Amino acid sequence: MGNRITVPAALCALLFLMVAMPHVGLLGQYGITFLCSMGIFIILSASLNLVNGYMGEFSCGHAGFMAVGAYTSSVVGVFLFVPDQVFGQPWLPMALTPFAFPVILAAGFIAAALAGLVVAIPSFKTRGDYLAVITLAASYIIKSAIENVEAVGGPRGFAGMGKIVQGMDAVVSIPWMMVWIFLGVTFTIWILRRFVYSTYGKGVMAIHQDEVAAEIMSVNTNKMKLIAFMLSSGLAGLAGGLYAYLISFVNPGSFTILRSTECLVMVYLGGMGSLTGSVLSAIVFAILLEFLKPLEQLKWVAIPLLLILLMQFRPEGIMGNRELSDVFPKLKRFYRFK
């Protein structure tokens, strides 16, 4: 019993510490934004690892699912709480924003999961490079569609989410986005961990080993692909919603192939099929981006170069397919979910 409450207690203590630090001057706005960006990277890296790592497919259109979640969460939030020229007067008072925000994020999750469903269906007959082309094409279709919808600003982008964050601050003055992103990261790790070690997760890993053999052993590979794609894309949509409210503005230029490349770099840097690796690689990648920020666009020369060196000298990534509990066996008692 003691072991089971250790992880939740540690997470609650960490959340309390994160909320308290800005109030005592130990964490400024720059630090909050940096930690929030790191959290969003963790969600993106872990969600893509489900498809590319655990299932062994190659998806490279994660930015498209992120865009669906970002725009859906933004539109739902503005529609409910912010007066807008297109959507008219708000339906709910601003005082309800802290309670409605999970619903706003859930809308982005569901919309992105449905987009993943549309992509998953043609993937039934494809593998490897063909799936990469499908996901890449889907990402471009989503971006082009958003650019041509004037109701959400077209190529100019969509704003208004900052007023919702300010509304939450007016109710209780805490770093709300850091809290929501922390909860989003915790939810992502929890649900992926539960999924991977469930019956469905074992079916997904069977597809990775040999799809034909998995079908012979009565694994419904189409159903497994469908669930994995929807969960992965839904979590990318959750990351998109959090990203939109973090920067209070979204435009199609934020969801280009560069965003998908960031996700791929993190997955391969951390290790295929390792949640611990996804978390570590997201942290390393966030720190690396800060160090390379003075290089501006040249950082996109340095980061792919790092990936090439990684493939040459450690192709399995930082963790390979191992988890933290595999490196430190005594920690296994903290990861009991059944």
Side-chain angles (χ1 to χ4, degrees), residues 135 139 261 273 331:
T135 53
S139 179
T261 305
L331 293 178

Side-chain angles (χ1 to χ4, degrees), residues 114-270:
L114 292 176
L117 171 66
V118 174
V119 175
I121 292 173
S123 75
F124 291 164
K125 301 294 182 183
T126 60
R127 283 185 66 84
D129 297 342
Y130 297 101
L131 180 64
V133 173
I134 290 174
T135 53
L136 187 62
S139 179
Y140 272 104
I141 290 170
I142 292 168
K143 179 176 175 291
S144 299
I146 293 172
E147 285 176 338
N148 287 282
V149 178
E150 279 301 318
V152 292
R156 299 185 305 278
F158 187 72
M161 296 78 81
K163 294 180 181 177
I164 296 174
V165 178
Q166 291 170 6
M168 288 190 281
D169 286 338
V171 177
V172 181
S173 180
I174 59 173
W176 278 104
M177 287 316 302
M178 190 165 63
V179 172
W180 291 121
I181 290 173
F182 179 84
L183 295 176
V185 170
T186 305
F187 172 74
T188 300
I189 300 299
W190 174 79
I191 197 170
L192 285 176
R193 178 83 184 181
R194 292 298 299 263
F195 179 78
V196 166
Y197 288 94
S198 69
T199 304
Y200 289 116
K202 289 181 173 60
V204 168
M205 286 189 273
I207 293 174
H208 186 185
Q209 296 299 321
D210 191 319
E211 186 171 344
V212 176
E215 286 181 346
I216 293 173
M217 295 301 292
S218 303
V219 174
N220 189 336
T221 56
N222 289 345
K223 184 179 179 181
M224 295 299 112
K225 285 183 178 181
L226 204 67
I227 295 173
F229 259 103
M230 290 184 70
L231 180 58
S232 175
S233 55
L235 291 173
L238 172 66
L242 292 167
Y243 172 77
Y245 283 88
L246 175 64
I247 65 171
S248 303
F249 174 79
V250 285
N251 72 338
S254 301
F255 308 104
T256 63
I257 185 65
L258 287 179
R259 184 70 66 187
S260 295
T261 305
E262 287 179 352
C263 299
L264 288 170
V265 168
M266 286 186 284
V267 168
Y268 287 94
L269 179 64

Side-chain angles (χ1 to χ4, degrees), residues 54-114:
Y54 289 103
M55 195 161 71
E57 302 283 357
F58 187 72
S59 171
C60 58
H62 227 45
F65 303 124
M66 189 181 177
V68 172
Y71 271 88
T72 303
S73 296
S74 302
V75 169
V76 171
V78 171
F79 177 76
L80 291 177
F81 293 106
V82 181
D84 185 81
Q85 291 182 344
V86 175
F87 302 108
Q89 291 301 310
W91 283 49
L92 298 174
M94 195 65 84
L96 294 179
T97 47
F99 309 101
F101 200 68
V103 178
I104 292 171
L105 294 178
F109 178 96
I110 294 170
L114 292 176

